[in-house]
Amino acid sequence: MIWSLVKIIVFVVAVAALALGAGWLLESEGGVRVVVAGSEYSLGPLQSVIGFVILVIVIWLGLKLLSLLLACWKFLNGDETALSRYFARNKAAKGFDALAEGMMALASGEGRVALAKAEKADRYLNRPELTNLLTAQAAEMAGDRQKAEQTYRKLVENDATRFVGVRGIMKQKLADGDTDTALKLAQKAFALKPKHEDTQDVLLKLQADKKDWSGARQTLSAKLKHGSLPRDVHKRRDAVLALSEARDVLAEDETIEAREAAIEANRLSPDLIPAAVMAAHGYIDQGQKKYATRVLKKAWEARPHPDLAAAFAAIEPDETPEARVKRFAQLIRSHPDDPETKMLMTELHLAAEDFPNARRALGDLVEADPTTRSVTLMAAIERGEGASDAVIQGWLARALTAPRGPQWVCENCQNIHTDWSPTCDNCSAFDTLAWKRPPASEVAMPGGTQVLPLLVGSPSDEASKNAVTVIGDADVLEAEDLGNPPSKAAS
């Protein structure tokens, strides 16, 4: 609406300017005197301007006529294509002008204009490899998906444009949610141009979504081969795919293959926590406790994690709490001041009913870096040492509002997962889950204090029974309210 008004205003101003100019020329004195073959012609100012315009038109027509006569002369002298080239040059000029205008309209977001220019360019040029691509993209922008797909299919028929056509149809299928067809098209596009980075990424994502781990590993190797992926990133992601492949084999109860695949994944990336846990369980099943210990210690050196502690505890499931405290000393040696180490040792001392050492192991963690788990552990220590219910309830009330602590968080969409997986359940991004603290969130918990008596339970005379009660209450608190499962190492 505004643009139409602007064009009307510009037209009115132009007409007014021409009228004023013509009026000024009519009122002006003087002019141009022309002498031709002894005859003298006097032209007024307005006549002079009109004569100049006519002269320019005559010269332009003369040049065109001269060019045509030259083409006819060449044709009469045996150049059979002279005339066709003359007219083809004019058509080509018009066609390329229309093509350029269509590309500008496409870049400006004017789909309908770009589509009209593409059709005009196609009439003049007869070069479908150029105009079909513009037509398909303009039709997509204009919302004409049927015409876009028809044009992409025409591109597939030409060897020079087959990749563009396949990729265009693939994107349409992805937009429609037809991932099965999109996967086949992505494989075909990848076969045509294995170096194309965007096609590699789409194919890898689709293969990961379909759990085609073997095919995904081949695509990943192609990305490394063609230089579109750093070697260290390839090593990490190949380990993720190997681990995913191992988990699928494990689900089929083929334990030997799963064990070997898990160990291979751990070898590719020793700091990948799920791979280390699976490899350790594979060694435990074989009775090779020494290898399991080595795998878990190496992973713990990279990053302490409660799943590693639980797997380390599974190496000797029947040992006494005191023996377990002593054996875990070799695991935690690399990170003695890590919060995970402090909470792990606190749980072990609680299981051994050694409440003073549990307090010393926890240190000032509840003040320096409070989390739900550390605060509930402090409540367990207080219960074990015979503190009053009011003190214990105070710690549990504080645990309700304490930060969750590290969890599996998608670095792409910040979605929180209870367990590790190769792809995010929310955004389907591949290899984006990291063990870190989730973003701070404000969660209102009305009536939270009313449930504290249920969480604390009934007092007991035995300190060990009290400690177990509070740890169990903490488990309920974390699992149901905060979605963060407690460590199983002290179980």
Side-chain angles (χ1 to χ4, degrees):
M1 182 67 182
I2 296 177
W3 178 239
S4 299
L5 180 61
V6 170
K7 289 193 289 186
I8 292 172
I9 294 173
V10 170
F11 176 75
V12 171
V13 170
V15 171
L18 289 173
L20 288 173
W24 178 77
L25 289 173
L26 288 173
E27 295 175 358
S28 300
E29 298 180 357
V32 177
R33 181 177 296 174
V34 181
V35 179
V36 179
S39 300
E40 183 177 307
Y41 302 94
S42 297
L43 302 176
L46 181 60
Q47 295 172 329
S48 301
V49 172
I50 295 174
F52 178 75
V53 172
I54 293 174
L55 179 63
V56 171
I57 294 174
V58 169
I59 293 173
W60 180 78
L61 291 174
L63 291 175
K64 287 288 183 181
L65 181 61
L66 181 63
S67 178
L68 177 60
L69 291 174
L70 184 61
C72 292
W73 175 258
K74 290 181 179 180
F75 177 77
L76 293 174
N77 281 279
D79 189 351
E80 297 179 355
T81 62
L83 286 175
S84 61
R85 287 202 312 272
Y86 171 78
F87 291 109
R89 275 198 303 270
N90 292 335
K91 289 179 64 177
K94 293 179 180 178
F96 281 114
D97 287 343
L99 187 65
E101 292 171 0
M103 294 176 67
M104 290 299 295
L106 189 66
S108 303
E110 299 174 296
R112 292 294 177 187
V113 176
L115 191 59
K117 296 296 182 181
E119 292 174 352
K120 181 179 179 181
D122 185 55
R123 287 198 305 271
Y124 283 117
L125 292 177
N126 194 23
R127 296 280 300 276
E129 67 274 11
L130 292 178
T131 56
N132 279 345
L133 179 59
L134 178 61
T135 301
Q137 293 181 345
E140 278 188 336
M141 183 174 291
D144 192 348
R145 293 176 57 83
Q146 184 177 1
K147 184 175 183 62
E149 185 172 353
Q150 291 174 352
T151 310
Y152 278 130
R153 292 188 182 279
K154 292 179 182 179
L155 290 171
V156 173
E157 297 172 357
N158 190 330
D159 291 339
T161 59
R162 180 171 290 117
F163 172 78
V164 178
V166 171
R167 188 164 174 265
I169 299 174
M170 177 193 71
K171 287 188 172 182
Q172 284 194 320
K173 297 302 180 183
L174 283 174
D176 294 338
D178 187 359
T179 54
D180 292 333
T181 306
L183 176 58
K184 295 177 182 178
L185 291 169
Q187 291 171 340
K188 188 173 183 179
F190 179 73
L192 292 171
K193 277 194 177 182
K195 294 183 180 180
H196 195 267
E197 189 171 351
D198 183 65
T199 302
Q200 293 172 350
D201 293 337
V202 172
L203 178 58
L204 181 62
K205 182 180 181 300
L206 289 172
Q207 288 172 327
D209 291 342
K210 298 294 183 182
K211 300 185 185 301
D212 181 11
W213 309 121
S214 178
R217 293 185 74 178
Q218 293 177 6
T219 305
L220 200 69
S221 298
K223 287 176 68 67
L224 176 66
K225 177 182 177 182
H226 297 299
S228 57
L229 191 69
R231 186 168 295 276
D232 56 339
V233 178
H234 168 267
K235 186 176 180 181
R236 156 80 187 189
R237 293 188 175 177
D238 192 38
V240 170
L241 293 172
L243 173 63
S244 304
E245 192 173 12
R247 295 174 77 179
D248 281 359
V249 175
L250 184 63
E252 297 172 1
D253 295 329
E254 300 180 22
T255 55
I256 296 176
E257 290 82 355
R259 186 184 304 119
E260 292 176 350
I263 293 170
E264 170 67 11
N266 179 251
R267 186 188 65 79
L268 292 171
S269 185
D271 62 334
L272 187 60
I273 293 168
V277 171
M278 284 190 68
H281 281 294
Y283 284 128
I284 293 171
D285 293 341
Q286 288 181 320
Q288 297 176 339
K289 298 180 179 180
K290 181 179 179 181
Y291 290 154
T293 301
R294 183 186 304 171
V295 166
L296 294 172
K297 285 176 64 177
K298 191 168 185 179
W300 188 274
E301 288 175 2
R303 168 165 290 186
H305 193 277
D307 289 350
L308 298 174
F312 196 77
I315 296 175
E316 297 290 347
D318 299 325
E319 65 185 341
T320 63
E322 292 78 8
R324 179 161 292 185
V325 172
K326 185 179 294 185
R327 186 170 65 86
F328 265 78
Q330 59 178 314
L331 177 68
I332 67 170
R333 192 177 297 124
S334 57
H335 293 282
D337 297 325
D338 190 89
E340 180 59 40
T341 300
K342 292 182 177 181
M343 289 186 287
L344 171 62
M345 293 309 298
T346 301
E347 290 180 347
L348 293 174
H349 286 302
L350 285 172
E353 302 179 17
D354 188 355
F355 303 110
N357 275 331
R359 184 182 291 273
R360 280 191 290 271
L362 193 61
D364 63 344
L365 194 60
V366 292
E367 301 298 337
D369 187 18
T371 61
T372 300
R373 185 176 163 201
S374 64
V375 175
T376 51
L377 286 174
M378 178 57 77
I381 294 172
E382 294 287 1
R383 171 61 68 87
E385 292 183 339
S388 65
D389 285 347
V391 173
I392 298 167
Q393 288 176 2
W395 283 111
L396 289 176
R398 184 176 174 184
L400 286 171
T401 56
R404 296 184 178 188
Q407 295 180 82
W408 290 114
V409 181
C410 176
E411 295 183 318
N412 186 48
C413 66
Q414 306 302 319
N415 189 49
I416 300 173
H417 297 67
T418 55
D419 297 307
W420 179 89
S421 62
T423 56
C424 175
D425 297 336
N426 184 52
C427 66
S428 300
F430 176 70
D431 190 27
T432 55
L433 265 64
W435 183 254
K436 65 177 186 179
R437 295 177 183 272
S441 60
E442 297 179 0
V443 181
M445 301 186 67
T449 55
Q450 283 82 348
V451 300
L452 283 177
L454 297 177
L455 292 172
V456 174
S458 301
S460 177
D461 295 332
E462 298 181 17
S464 60
K465 185 175 180 180
N466 291 340
V468 171
T469 301
V470 177
I471 293 177
D473 296 337
D475 294 351
V476 173
L477 177 66
E478 293 187 12
E480 295 185 358
D481 291 336
L482 300 175
N484 190 17
S487 172
K488 300 178 183 178
S491 300

